[in-house]
Amino acid sequence: MPDKPPRPQRAEPREIVELKQIRVAQPELASAVDMQLALVDMQRRVQSRVPLPWIQPDPAWVAAQQTSGRPLVRFQDIPLEWSDFRLTFRQTADILVRFDALERADHSAIVAMGREGDLLQPILTQWYDVSAGFDGSPDRQRTPPDAPASLEQVLVLALRPFLSRCAEAIGQRVDLTSWAHGHCPFCGWEPDFAVITPQGDRRLICGRCVGQWAFGAYTCPFCTNDDRALVTSFATRDGRYRVYACDVCRRYVKAYDGRGATRPLMVAVDSIATLPLDAAAIQRGYAG
Ligand SMILES: [Zn+2]
Ligand SMILES: [Zn+2]
């Protein structure tokens, strides 16, 4: 009897392959790569269980939201299954503490919130409504006063697999060309990455829902400074990545330069590959 042919291995997703390549090429980033691999793996598993939501907002409401600079995903639109969210929340905290990206004490407090079902729900709802700009009451805080500051980082990562589905669904049916704000048209959060298209336009990427929108290449999304003389821009030696740093508010955003690139942007990969650029920007006195 001839040996059975070996079972073909299932191909790894491209972003996993690329992350592993970074670990080889830049061993000093190994720990950051491993944490990202764990997060990407978990988020992919969650996202495969999250249905694409059916969001069909009223066109007049959409127009009014866009005119007033308010986002389009309301909390009730997010396809959240609470037990699944609580699990994702705890697993996110576990990954962060494993790679020393979260203090032990904060981890304990955060995991305790995730254990008790009725604790997390109002915290998440308030955090989303206030940070998205739906709840504009001046004295409403994003998070409870006794919560650790790192709670927001865990909420951002844990909500992403659910929220990104909304950005996907709305992006397919709403025209966003008139959106001229520096914050996200889907969820109201700040951009934390950008991509330069092959045509040379810049698109910002939301740091919470990973939605994209077009924005002036030399306008600062954080303070709207558009004086080109007050925007410092520098690139990596291979020209693959670029930093736009604002000399008015001293904040910066990194970008993947898609002109002549061999692959499209992969935020999970490119945000790790550019960690040395963060160090360079911070050294020059800018903040992320
Ligand atoms: Zn967003
Ligand atoms: Zn600025």
PDB file of all heavy atoms in Angstrom, residues 160-176:
ATOM      1  N   ARG A 160     -13.839  45.759  18.732  1.00  0.00           N
ATOM      2  CA  ARG A 160     -13.496  45.831  17.300  1.00  0.00           C
ATOM      3  C   ARG A 160     -14.140  44.754  16.418  1.00  0.00           C
ATOM      4  O   ARG A 160     -14.702  45.090  15.371  1.00  0.00           O
ATOM      5  CB  ARG A 160     -11.979  45.829  17.128  1.00  0.00           C
ATOM      6  CG  ARG A 160     -11.561  45.947  15.661  1.00  0.00           C
ATOM      7  CD  ARG A 160     -10.100  46.216  15.531  1.00  0.00           C
ATOM      8  NE  ARG A 160      -9.753  47.489  16.121  1.00  0.00           N
ATOM      9  CZ  ARG A 160      -8.511  47.821  16.508  1.00  0.00           C
ATOM     10  NH1 ARG A 160      -7.529  46.974  16.354  1.00  0.00           N
ATOM     11  NH2 ARG A 160      -8.279  49.000  17.032  1.00  0.00           N
ATOM     12  N   PRO A 161     -14.086  43.464  16.785  1.00  0.00           N
ATOM     13  CA  PRO A 161     -14.661  42.481  15.864  1.00  0.00           C
ATOM     14  C   PRO A 161     -16.158  42.682  15.626  1.00  0.00           C
ATOM     15  O   PRO A 161     -16.669  42.324  14.565  1.00  0.00           O
ATOM     16  CB  PRO A 161     -14.407  41.127  16.545  1.00  0.00           C
ATOM     17  CG  PRO A 161     -13.669  41.397  17.793  1.00  0.00           C
ATOM     18  CD  PRO A 161     -13.468  42.860  17.966  1.00  0.00           C
ATOM     19  N   PHE A 162     -16.850  43.269  16.577  1.00  0.00           N
ATOM     20  CA  PHE A 162     -18.292  43.513  16.441  1.00  0.00           C
ATOM     21  C   PHE A 162     -18.527  44.813  15.669  1.00  0.00           C
ATOM     22  O   PHE A 162     -19.315  44.880  14.734  1.00  0.00           O
ATOM     23  CB  PHE A 162     -18.945  43.605  17.822  1.00  0.00           C
ATOM     24  CG  PHE A 162     -18.703  42.397  18.694  1.00  0.00           C
ATOM     25  CD1 PHE A 162     -17.615  42.344  19.560  1.00  0.00           C
ATOM     26  CD2 PHE A 162     -19.552  41.302  18.638  1.00  0.00           C
ATOM     27  CE1 PHE A 162     -17.384  41.232  20.352  1.00  0.00           C
ATOM     28  CE2 PHE A 162     -19.332  40.184  19.435  1.00  0.00           C
ATOM     29  CZ  PHE A 162     -18.242  40.141  20.292  1.00  0.00           C
ATOM     30  N   LEU A 163     -17.814  45.868  16.091  1.00  0.00           N
ATOM     31  CA  LEU A 163     -18.015  47.191  15.511  1.00  0.00           C
ATOM     32  C   LEU A 163     -17.538  47.272  14.063  1.00  0.00           C
ATOM     33  O   LEU A 163     -18.135  47.971  13.230  1.00  0.00           O
ATOM     34  CB  LEU A 163     -17.274  48.220  16.377  1.00  0.00           C
ATOM     35  CG  LEU A 163     -17.509  49.691  16.088  1.00  0.00           C
ATOM     36  CD1 LEU A 163     -18.982  50.056  16.217  1.00  0.00           C
ATOM     37  CD2 LEU A 163     -16.667  50.551  17.038  1.00  0.00           C
ATOM     38  N   SER A 164     -16.474  46.549  13.742  1.00  0.00           N
ATOM     39  CA  SER A 164     -15.940  46.632  12.373  1.00  0.00           C
ATOM     40  C   SER A 164     -16.959  46.086  11.372  1.00  0.00           C
ATOM     41  O   SER A 164     -16.991  46.509  10.224  1.00  0.00           O
ATOM     42  CB  SER A 164     -14.617  45.872  12.266  1.00  0.00           C
ATOM     43  OG  SER A 164     -14.806  44.515  12.567  1.00  0.00           O
ATOM     44  N   ARG A 165     -17.819  45.171  11.827  1.00  0.00           N
ATOM     45  CA  ARG A 165     -18.881  44.658  10.959  1.00  0.00           C
ATOM     46  C   ARG A 165     -19.863  45.767  10.570  1.00  0.00           C
ATOM     47  O   ARG A 165     -20.412  45.771   9.475  1.00  0.00           O
ATOM     48  CB  ARG A 165     -19.653  43.546  11.680  1.00  0.00           C
ATOM     49  CG  ARG A 165     -18.918  42.239  11.739  1.00  0.00           C
ATOM     50  CD  ARG A 165     -18.715  41.734  10.357  1.00  0.00           C
ATOM     51  NE  ARG A 165     -18.657  40.289  10.302  1.00  0.00           N
ATOM     52  CZ  ARG A 165     -18.459  39.616   9.180  1.00  0.00           C
ATOM     53  NH1 ARG A 165     -18.330  40.265   8.035  1.00  0.00           N
ATOM     54  NH2 ARG A 165     -18.397  38.314   9.182  1.00  0.00           N
ATOM     55  N   CYS A 166     -20.102  46.706  11.499  1.00  0.00           N
ATOM     56  CA  CYS A 166     -21.019  47.821  11.227  1.00  0.00           C
ATOM     57  C   CYS A 166     -20.405  48.771  10.207  1.00  0.00           C
ATOM     58  O   CYS A 166     -21.088  49.254   9.298  1.00  0.00           O
ATOM     59  CB  CYS A 166     -21.326  48.587  12.506  1.00  0.00           C
ATOM     60  SG  CYS A 166     -22.092  47.594  13.770  1.00  0.00           S
ATOM     61  N   ALA A 167     -19.111  49.058  10.373  1.00  0.00           N
ATOM     62  CA  ALA A 167     -18.439  49.949   9.423  1.00  0.00           C
ATOM     63  C   ALA A 167     -18.475  49.332   8.033  1.00  0.00           C
ATOM     64  O   ALA A 167     -18.705  50.015   7.031  1.00  0.00           O
ATOM     65  CB  ALA A 167     -17.002  50.194   9.872  1.00  0.00           C
ATOM     66  N   GLU A 168     -18.282  48.011   7.999  1.00  0.00           N
ATOM     67  CA  GLU A 168     -18.329  47.286   6.723  1.00  0.00           C
ATOM     68  C   GLU A 168     -19.716  47.431   6.080  1.00  0.00           C
ATOM     69  O   GLU A 168     -19.843  47.766   4.901  1.00  0.00           O
ATOM     70  CB  GLU A 168     -18.103  45.806   7.050  1.00  0.00           C
ATOM     71  CG  GLU A 168     -17.280  45.002   6.090  1.00  0.00           C
ATOM     72  CD  GLU A 168     -17.164  43.560   6.636  1.00  0.00           C
ATOM     73  OE1 GLU A 168     -16.644  43.354   7.762  1.00  0.00           O
ATOM     74  OE2 GLU A 168     -17.623  42.654   5.949  1.00  0.00           O
ATOM     75  N   ALA A 169     -20.756  47.201   6.892  1.00  0.00           N
ATOM     76  CA  ALA A 169     -22.131  47.235   6.371  1.00  0.00           C
ATOM     77  C   ALA A 169     -22.508  48.649   5.906  1.00  0.00           C
ATOM     78  O   ALA A 169     -23.077  48.827   4.825  1.00  0.00           O
ATOM     79  CB  ALA A 169     -23.105  46.757   7.451  1.00  0.00           C
ATOM     80  N   ILE A 170     -22.173  49.652   6.701  1.00  0.00           N
ATOM     81  CA  ILE A 170     -22.561  51.026   6.349  1.00  0.00           C
ATOM     82  C   ILE A 170     -21.711  51.546   5.192  1.00  0.00           C
ATOM     83  O   ILE A 170     -22.210  52.231   4.304  1.00  0.00           O
ATOM     84  CB  ILE A 170     -22.456  51.956   7.576  1.00  0.00           C
ATOM     85  CG1 ILE A 170     -23.574  51.594   8.542  1.00  0.00           C
ATOM     86  CG2 ILE A 170     -22.544  53.425   7.183  1.00  0.00           C
ATOM     87  CD1 ILE A 170     -23.720  52.521   9.713  1.00  0.00           C
ATOM     88  N   GLY A 171     -20.436  51.182   5.188  1.00  0.00           N
ATOM     89  CA  GLY A 171     -19.547  51.624   4.116  1.00  0.00           C
ATOM     90  C   GLY A 171     -20.041  51.195   2.743  1.00  0.00           C
ATOM     91  O   GLY A 171     -19.780  51.851   1.741  1.00  0.00           O
ATOM     92  N   GLN A 172     -20.778  50.084   2.719  1.00  0.00           N
ATOM     93  CA  GLN A 172     -21.291  49.577   1.441  1.00  0.00           C
ATOM     94  C   GLN A 172     -22.500  50.361   0.948  1.00  0.00           C
ATOM     95  O   GLN A 172     -22.823  50.324  -0.222  1.00  0.00           O
ATOM     96  CB  GLN A 172     -21.705  48.105   1.589  1.00  0.00           C
ATOM     97  CG  GLN A 172     -20.532  47.150   1.671  1.00  0.00           C
ATOM     98  CD  GLN A 172     -20.954  45.747   2.094  1.00  0.00           C
ATOM     99  OE1 GLN A 172     -22.144  45.447   2.203  1.00  0.00           O
ATOM    100  NE2 GLN A 172     -19.987  44.874   2.333  1.00  0.00           N
ATOM    101  N   ARG A 173     -23.207  51.045   1.860  1.00  0.00           N
ATOM    102  CA  ARG A 173     -24.452  51.675   1.406  1.00  0.00           C
ATOM    103  C   ARG A 173     -24.560  53.182   1.621  1.00  0.00           C
ATOM    104  O   ARG A 173     -25.539  53.788   1.210  1.00  0.00           O
ATOM    105  CB  ARG A 173     -25.670  50.975   2.007  1.00  0.00           C
ATOM    106  CG  ARG A 173     -25.613  50.741   3.498  1.00  0.00           C
ATOM    107  CD  ARG A 173     -26.868  50.039   3.984  1.00  0.00           C
ATOM    108  NE  ARG A 173     -26.904  48.644   3.576  1.00  0.00           N
ATOM    109  CZ  ARG A 173     -27.968  48.036   3.096  1.00  0.00           C
ATOM    110  NH1 ARG A 173     -29.081  48.696   2.919  1.00  0.00           N
ATOM    111  NH2 ARG A 173     -27.935  46.756   2.796  1.00  0.00           N
ATOM    112  N   VAL A 174     -23.570  53.785   2.274  1.00  0.00           N
ATOM    113  CA  VAL A 174     -23.663  55.234   2.503  1.00  0.00           C
ATOM    114  C   VAL A 174     -22.498  55.940   1.799  1.00  0.00           C
ATOM    115  O   VAL A 174     -21.361  55.487   1.858  1.00  0.00           O
ATOM    116  CB  VAL A 174     -23.636  55.546   4.026  1.00  0.00           C
ATOM    117  CG1 VAL A 174     -23.555  57.041   4.268  1.00  0.00           C
ATOM    118  CG2 VAL A 174     -24.867  54.972   4.716  1.00  0.00           C
ATOM    119  N   ASP A 175     -22.817  57.043   1.129  1.00  0.00           N
ATOM    120  CA  ASP A 175     -21.789  57.842   0.455  1.00  0.00           C
ATOM    121  C   ASP A 175     -21.126  58.765   1.468  1.00  0.00           C
ATOM    122  O   ASP A 175     -21.787  59.614   2.070  1.00  0.00           O
ATOM    123  CB  ASP A 175     -22.460  58.656  -0.662  1.00  0.00           C
ATOM    124  CG  ASP A 175     -21.462  59.558  -1.361  1.00  0.00           C
ATOM    125  OD1 ASP A 175     -20.243  59.369  -1.172  1.00  0.00           O
ATOM    126  OD2 ASP A 175     -21.909  60.469  -2.094  1.00  0.00           O
ATOM    127  N   LEU A 176     -19.822  58.582   1.667  1.00  0.00           N
ATOM    128  CA  LEU A 176     -19.124  59.355   2.705  1.00  0.00           C
ATOM    129  C   LEU A 176     -18.247  60.453   2.127  1.00  0.00           C
ATOM    130  O   LEU A 176     -17.435  61.043   2.839  1.00  0.00           O
ATOM    131  CB  LEU A 176     -18.254  58.408   3.536  1.00  0.00           C
ATOM    132  CG  LEU A 176     -19.017  57.400   4.397  1.00  0.00           C
ATOM    133  CD1 LEU A 176     -18.081  56.324   4.902  1.00  0.00           C
ATOM    134  CD2 LEU A 176     -19.700  58.100   5.558  1.00  0.00           C
TER     135      LEU A 176
END
